[in-house]
Amino acid sequence: MDNKFKTLGVTQLDSGILQLTLSRPDALNALNIELMSELERAFQQAKQNPAVKSILLTGEGKAFCAGADIKQLAGLTGQTGMDFAERGQAVFRLLEQMGKPSLAAINGFALGGGCELAMAATLRIAANTAIFGQPEVKLGVIPGFGGTQRLARLVGKGRALDLCLTGRTIKADEALAWGLVSEVVTGDELLNRAKVILAGIAKLGPIAIKSVMTVIDHGYDLTLADAFELEAVHFGLCCASHDKQEGVNAFIEKRSAEFCGE
């Protein structure tokens, strides 16, 4: 990973965790063109870097990310607006399809594009002060970085319509009840808990981890029969790996497995 980032903090941690910190605190980490470009570059580099096993996303200051930069949004036309949305969708899809687990540690406001970025991560946990919402209708637009689709898939059509039509926000405890996040902790505990989760995943079989993410992501939109077939194919791929044999042997021998990703 290079260090030529102005709006994104990049830190390599233990257990192969790459921490990416949105760093425009004076703008509540709003997604301007520069930050989007740096996220795209960081995701591309992380995918290609074998030292990176997982991604930890968080925000500097009191916000995770307050959404798109309104000043840039103001100048969009019909065509440039469509281009803007497709670019954001593509950047977030890079994270979602990286083949490495990612976790959004949501430390504060996650609104609009910020909520959409969090939803593109594999996992989400939140500080008890976090606030979530898709308030785009208040600006006369809709979520454009995948929010209408990921939100419905994560919390259900009815709740997605609730947030997207009213523009209201919800607190961390309601996000937990909805299944938008899997855990809520104090702000002081947030990053440590995120690191513990990702370090735990790093100890497991990497082929199986990648297959789980692929099958759930791709299988969601298939017929049940086709999704079952996809699952069976990946189960077979795992069974053909050295890691499967190591995992089974370690279980029988009552020792910790040492997976190699082969």
Side-chain angles (χ1 to χ4, degrees):
M1 298 291 298
D2 67 50
N3 295 313
K4 298 177 182 178
F5 295 92
K6 295 181 180 179
T7 60
L8 191 64
V10 179
T11 308
Q12 185 72 54
L13 306 175
D14 294 337
S15 301
I17 300 169
L18 183 70
Q19 180 173 324
L20 302 178
T21 305
L22 308 186
S23 188
R24 298 186 68 219
D26 292 342
L28 299 179
N29 302 321
L31 296 165
N32 64 358
I33 292 174
E34 185 175 24
L35 179 51
M36 288 293 288
S37 295
E38 292 192 348
L39 281 170
E40 181 178 37
R41 182 154 52 93
F43 294 158
Q44 290 170 339
Q45 291 181 11
K47 181 176 182 177
Q48 299 300 323
N49 189 342
V52 175
K53 306 301 182 186
S54 62
I55 304 294
L56 194 170
L57 273 171
T58 194
E60 181 180 349
K62 64 182 181 180
F64 174 74
C65 174
D69 191 304
I70 303 301
K71 293 179 181 177
Q72 293 181 355
L73 179 64
L76 295 178
T77 65
Q79 184 58 56
T80 61
M82 183 174 176
D83 295 341
F84 179 76
E86 289 179 340
R87 171 79 192 288
Q89 291 168 2
V91 172
F92 291 2
R93 194 66 170 147
L94 281 175
L95 175 65
E96 194 169 42
Q97 293 188 312
M98 187 181 296
K100 300 178 181 183
S102 57
L103 188 153
I106 302 150
N107 53 300
F109 295 110
L111 305 174
C115 190
E116 290 172 299
L117 174 59
M119 288 190 290
T122 316
L123 301 169
R124 287 156 297 283
I125 66 172
N128 52 10
T129 54
I131 301 290
F132 300 83
Q134 299 290 165
E136 288 88 348
V137 289
K138 295 181 178 180
L139 299 174
V141 294
I142 69 170
F145 292 172
T148 59
Q149 304 308 303
R150 289 194 182 94
L151 188 60
R153 285 161 168 77
L154 285 169
V155 304
K157 183 178 177 181
R159 285 170 168 164
L161 284 166
D162 177 356
L163 283 192
C164 293
L165 286 175
T166 66
R168 74 181 183 94
T169 59
I170 59 173
K171 296 180 179 179
D173 57 349
E174 192 168 3
L176 178 63
W178 283 17
L180 185 55
V181 299
S182 55
E183 293 185 31
V184 173
V185 297
T186 67
D188 291 339
E189 297 173 312
L190 183 65
L191 287 182
N192 282 338
R193 180 57 184 151
K195 293 171 188 176
V196 167
I197 293 170
L198 291 175
I201 293 173
K203 295 177 182 178
L204 306 175
I207 294 174
I209 294 298
K210 186 174 182 178
S211 283
V212 164
M213 293 187 295
T214 299
V215 171
I216 291 177
D217 182 54
H218 290 264
Y220 199 92
D221 295 317
L222 298 177
T223 65
L224 192 57
D226 287 343
F228 281 162
E229 182 178 358
L230 180 65
E231 180 183 80
V233 168
H234 278 266
F235 185 84
L237 290 173
C238 291
C239 285
S241 70
H242 176 276
D243 277 353
K244 186 274 293 185
Q245 198 60 50
E246 167 62 13
V248 171
N249 289 345
F251 181 82
I252 293 171
E253 297 164 11
K254 296 181 170 54
R255 61 175 174 83
S256 297
E258 297 183 7
F259 297 109
C260 65
E262 296 179 356

